Amino acid sequence: MTRRKKNNQNIEVGNLIYEYRKKLTDIPKSRQGFIDDSSAKFFNNEEWISEKTLGNYETGQNIPSLENLKKLSVALEVDTLELIAEILKLI
């Protein structure tokens, strides 16, 4: 499988998502802990994102769709428009 060349903007978006996640102090620090905690609090214990997908976002391998940005904003406890605005500043 060929790896895509990382785009610096993708990495910056990933760093932003990572930093928002790390600002949450009342949750486990691991990606899976964040996902599990968010699933229980906001998504009725339904799977809303995989650990691999979140890792790909945070490392800049992929960027989230608008649908996933909305879910991430809920889980990160930040306004969706604020998150999108922050991302737009980076690209």
Side-chain angles (χ1 to χ4, degrees):
M1 174 173 14
T2 306
R3 289 195 86 111
R4 286 185 279 178
K5 184 178 177 183
K6 288 186 184 180
N7 182 326
N8 286 339
Q9 292 171 334
N10 290 3
I11 294 170
E12 290 176 12
V13 170
N15 287 338
L16 177 70
I17 293 168
Y18 175 80
E19 290 302 321
Y20 270 113
R21 181 169 67 85
K22 290 301 179 181
K23 285 181 185 177
L24 298 173
T25 57
D26 61 337
I27 63 162
K29 294 296 181 191
S30 70
R31 287 184 183 128
Q32 192 60 54
F34 166 71
I35 291 167
D36 293 343
D37 186 71
S38 299
S39 292
K41 285 183 183 174
F42 306 114
F43 301 104
N44 297 321
N45 290 317
E46 293 180 17
E47 186 174 326
W48 62 279
I49 193 171
S50 71
E51 184 177 9
K52 182 173 178 125
T53 299
L54 180 59
N56 285 341
Y57 292 161
E58 290 184 348
T59 59
Q61 295 292 325
N62 291 322
I63 56 170
S65 65
L66 286 176
E67 179 181 345
N68 283 342
L69 274 176
K70 184 175 180 183
K71 290 177 183 178
L72 276 170
S73 69
V74 170
L76 294 169
E77 300 177 31
V78 63
D79 181 67
T80 304
L81 294 178
E82 179 183 332
L83 181 60
I84 291 171
E86 289 290 323
I87 290 171
L88 288 175
K89 288 179 190 176
L90 299 173
I91 55 176

